[in-house]
Amino acid sequence: MTDTSSAAHTAGASAADTATAAARDATATATLARGRVAEPRARFRDLVAAEWAKWWSLRSSGWALVATALTVIGFNVGIAYDTYRYWSERDTASRADFVRDGIPLSIAFSANAAMLLMLALSAIGSTVIVGEYRTGLIRTTFTAVPARRSVMAAKVCVVTVVTTVFGALVSVASFGLTQAVLSGRDAGVAIGHPGALRLVVASALLAPLSALVGLALGTVLRHSAATMTANVVVLLLLPLVFSADRHWAAVVEHALPTGAWNRLTAVGHQQVAHPWTVGGAWTVYAVWAVVAAVVTVAPVQRRDQ
């Protein structure tokens, strides 16, 4: 009888210990679960701050912007200086028509400088995302922040802000320096001259527009060589292929960023077969920027699942 009672007591104690351990495990599990639930989601401004820090943590980003700025401004100032230097070789009629024909504005931000700016900024924009895919950092980012579209939207915001400020500085500096050089021959114009402010704004906004196009193409293609090739095709080759002589080709040319910039910076009457409006050119700017942002943000949630 005593042995039977002892066995029963031992079994009861063992069962109690098991129940206590189970309760303890359940409590720990519940506490951990509450901790996970209570962990706050990353705020969008935190994502923007992280992308901002990521941008400037790469020295190449800053140096690329500096090199681009110096090249573009130097190119335009060089043209202005050549004009100043050989001014005496112009005849009287050429000097008289210099300002009327809008030549000071074409020197303030030349077409070649604009093309260089577009190619450089599209390359900078594409490296923001292509570099992360190449190193695998993007997977770490998406693991830490499952809200992929928020991450990409933060990238779009940072790229837009940085390149807009950059474009404004380059455009204003280029206009001011070139007109200062031309003023030595009384051939410079002020910002209030017809078309001058529009040229400065259009050239400034060309930088973020090109960077967003590069970012979108990099998001889709994810490879450096393919993305750079696509940038050249979209921004450089297509405007050369589609001439404005035929109506359908003119429509395509007008719908490209280069064509829009050419229209916004044109002075006086358009000597083309199919002219278009300034409002239409601003619309092209806006559409390209919005579409590029959507292409960057929208599809990422379904890829690499």
Side-chain angles (χ1 to χ4, degrees), residues 154-246:
K155 290 184 184 295
V156 169
C157 290
V158 170
V159 169
T160 302
V161 170
V162 172
T163 55
T164 298
V165 173
F166 169 82
L169 293 175
V170 171
S171 182
V172 170
S174 181
F175 179 85
L177 292 174
T178 55
Q179 300 314 300
V181 173
L182 294 176
S183 295
R185 300 295 189 184
D186 294 327
V189 298
I191 192 66
H193 185 80
L197 181 59
R198 189 175 69 228
L199 176 139
V200 171
V201 175
S203 301
L205 294 180
L206 192 62
L209 175 60
S210 302
L212 288 175
V213 170
L215 180 62
L217 292 174
T219 303
V220 173
L221 301 176
R222 303 185 179 185
H223 296 283
S224 299
T227 303
M228 297 307 172
T229 301
N231 287 335
V232 173
V233 170
V234 172
L235 298 176
L236 179 60
L237 296 184
L238 287 182
L240 298 177
V241 171
F242 294 99
S243 171
D245 295 336
R246 298 176 180 270

Side-chain angles (χ1 to χ4, degrees), residues 130-153:
V130 172
E132 292 197 31
Y133 276 113
R134 185 178 63 252
T135 60
L137 179 60
I138 194 68
R139 293 184 180 275
T140 303
T141 302
F142 287 156
T143 300
V145 185
R148 299 184 174 190
R149 288 177 178 170
S150 297
V151 173
M152 300 304 290

Side-chain angles (χ1 to χ4, degrees), residues 1-182:
M1 178 68 69
T2 301
D3 295 339
T4 303
S5 299
S6 298
H9 179 73
T10 301
S14 178
D17 292 342
T18 302
T20 300
R24 197 163 47 239
D25 293 341
T27 302
T29 302
T31 301
L32 181 59
R34 284 196 299 272
R36 288 176 177 173
V37 172
E39 182 179 352
R41 296 180 60 185
R43 296 173 297 183
F44 184 72
R45 66 181 182 182
D46 295 331
L47 297 178
V48 172
E51 292 300 328
W52 180 270
K54 192 184 300 181
W55 174 290
W56 296 113
S57 65
L58 297 175
R59 293 183 179 180
S60 59
S61 299
W63 284 114
L65 292 176
V66 171
T68 301
L70 293 177
T71 304
V72 170
I73 295 174
F75 193 93
N76 293 327
V77 172
I79 298 175
Y81 178 74
D82 285 342
T83 303
Y84 171 89
R85 183 180 179 184
Y86 297 106
W87 183 259
S88 59
E89 298 181 7
R90 291 176 174 268
D91 55 33
T92 304
S94 176
R95 295 181 189 180
D97 296 339
F98 189 82
V99 174
R100 188 194 65 183
D101 293 342
I103 299 178
L105 295 184
S106 66
I107 294 175
F109 214 98
S110 63
N112 289 333
M115 192 65 64
L116 175 63
L117 179 73
M118 285 191 289
L119 293 178
L121 267 294
S122 63
I124 292 172
S126 63
T127 56
V128 171
I129 187 65
V130 172
E132 292 197 31
Y133 276 113
R134 185 178 63 252
T135 60
L137 179 60
I138 194 68
R139 293 184 180 275
T140 303
T141 302
F142 287 156
T143 300
V145 185
R148 299 184 174 190
R149 288 177 178 170
S150 297
V151 173
M152 300 304 290
K155 290 184 184 295
V156 169
C157 290
V158 170
V159 169
T160 302
V161 170
V162 172
T163 55
T164 298
V165 173
F166 169 82
L169 293 175
V170 171
S171 182
V172 170
S174 181
F175 179 85
L177 292 174
T178 55
Q179 300 314 300
V181 173
L182 294 176

